[in-house]
Amino acid sequence: MERDFLPISRADMARRGWDQCDFVYVIGDAYVDHSTFGHAIISRVLEDAGYKVGIISQPDWKDPASILALGEPRLAFLVMGGNMDSMVNHYSVSKKHRRTDAFTPGGVTGKRPDHAAVVYCNLIRRSFPHKPIIVGGIEASLRRLAHYDYWSDSLKRSLLLDAQADLLLYGMGERSIVEVAEALDSGLSVADITYVRGSVYKTRSLESVYDALTLPSWEALNESRRTYAESFYTQYCNTDPFVAKRLVEPYEKEGCYVVQNPPQEPLTTAEMDHVYALPYMRTYHPSYEKLGGVPAIEEVKFSLTSNRGCFGGCSFCALTFHQGRIVQTRSHEAIVEEARLLTKDPDFKGYIHDVGGPTANFRHPSCQKQLTKGVCPNRQCLFPTPCKNLTVDHRDYLELLRKLRALPGVKKVFIRSGIRFDYLLCDKDGTFLRELVEHHVSGQLKVAPEHIADPVLRMMGKPSNDVYQRFLAKYQHLNEKLGKKQFVVPYLMSSHPGSTLKEAIALAEYIRDLGYMPEQVQDFYPTPSTISTVMYYTGLDPRTMQPVYVPTSPHEKAMQRALIQYRDPKNYRLVREALEAAGRQDLIGYGKECLIHPTAGQRPPQDGRPVQRDTAGRPKSSQHAKAGAPAKRQKPAARPAGWAKPAPKKNKPARRGRT
């Protein structure tokens, strides 16, 4: 049979000669058969293993009949909330509804429910009370044990219990899903599949559970936030496939236990190559064409996945819990072959938009011992300073980029998924940075210092500000040397735990000195299974159990965010209130150092001096110009290091990773 999308209807099944699917996969996104979409990988991996998979995309959760579209599967239902957490997909950090959904045809909203994975599983259970349900994807992965839910401001149980599913697969899941499929196909009951790495199951007895750590019970977690912080850190230290213990979370009132098996082992390069070489259609299902297509494909259509996993260890990032800290890579040959496919696409204009992953310049494990002994459970590779055992080498990545640049039809190869600048600075050979500046920046290089105040950076697990300043100086020097006019786009975060108004104002002053207002600002979003979210909920750093200041009130969070964009007139009142609350009235005035003027709507003069006004209150001209003569244009000042030209606003899906 020629390459095609997997069945989405009975008619599609009939064309393939199927009476029944082995698995029916219920997903919260539109059906996009591209290797950057989790449902595409899992469905193609199962197909490659010999199983028949059908797709039900964005069923009507209010109509039980919507789940019957492909009939009852032979083995099990699979459920995934979406490529993005459904709650993050629906709501901004201020808990307001988003206006678009990049993973839905036409970008419209409202096509999936809140907590989609739970709702879909319960919908299936109503119609098929005894059929195995296996839930996975990012939404389930990060909620596999008890977790803080920002949207209800409360703890929630393991998603496995609320979803009434039989198994939860966490992480990327290629090995886990095939192992589960083989067990079901052999006739094994889903209740007996308790041994698969990367899985979570529930049980009434611990008689067959061995080599396990018992976490505090659900009841104990609700009694003490400190207990929750301690439990989370135990989980955090058991995310490595080589050293992680099995974890048991008791639910005493319900008389059951939720058991988390250790993570699946990293894929080898050969396995990664195989997964990404499966016969993806590389686009969305044609049935969406009349609805305007699926916007999310535009961000990844001409991008290449080079790696997965990240040893960056940022506190606000959930990659440690999902992909893990061990970097896994594809071979040069596989990536170059995929690039050749891109060049044959009629829409390809010669530009490869990205070659990377969570962190573009990680192309190997951080040290040699990781592939046999795992990562250090209580130490980070880059924070607070780079480990002495860290392997710093960009040669493999450089060679890959050179091969891609040399392909016929390729004009430019960009890197947009993030560069870890502290790792780059550890490289004594400056070749990578030079070639990055010379060949791989599309006018703007995205990096993520996140903040400039060291107390906040420590809570974030990020390098100190002086490291970022050293990187900026090197980057600016190279651009000048090569005759390039390229800028840095720094991603900045407001109201992260540890940030008081003092640190927020320090960040605003830094932005003032750079001479620009950032277009992209992220207010800290407490999503499940991150160290930062635990700080937000408990007021404690789970790594040290020391108290942390946390801006939790919506009003203070709004003030901290407004300070970063203090030049925006709509932020004037919030900025003024923040400055007055912090006792920084010295930043309200007419001097060059001031952030705002005493009266809203006043525009600062070019030289920073107070505006002189006539008796009618009109500003006096500083020059004796003739009436009606056009004002003399001022030559713009030189742009300092770190200045970024504002990027055009686009509705884009979430970036691959924040580093």
Side-chain angles (χ1 to χ4, degrees), residues 123-124 158 182 187 189 208-209 213 217 312 442 472 490 510 514 547 565 567-568 590 652-653:
L123 183 66
I124 295 167
S158 165
E182 290 173 346
S189 168
S208 61
V209 178
L213 295 176
S217 68
S442 57
L472 284 181
Y510 174 75
L514 286 183
Q565 295 178 311
R567 292 187 183 181
D568 191 331
Y590 297 100
K652 291 185 177 181

Side-chain angles (χ1 to χ4, degrees), residues 437 471-482 484 486 488 639-642:
V437 170
F471 168 75
L472 284 181
K474 279 196 169 188
Y475 181 77
Q476 184 184 34
H477 173 73
L478 269 172
N479 274 283
E480 291 172 353
K481 185 177 179 180
L482 295 169
K484 300 272 188 178
Q486 299 176 146
V488 165
R639 294 163 178 155

Side-chain angles (χ1 to χ4, degrees), residues 311-312 362 380-387 390 420 422-423 426 461 463:
F311 53 79
F362 288 175
Q380 293 292 332
C381 304
L382 287 167
F383 176 79
T385 56
C387 175
L390 182 68
R420 186 75 189 217
D422 51 344
Y423 179 76
C426 292

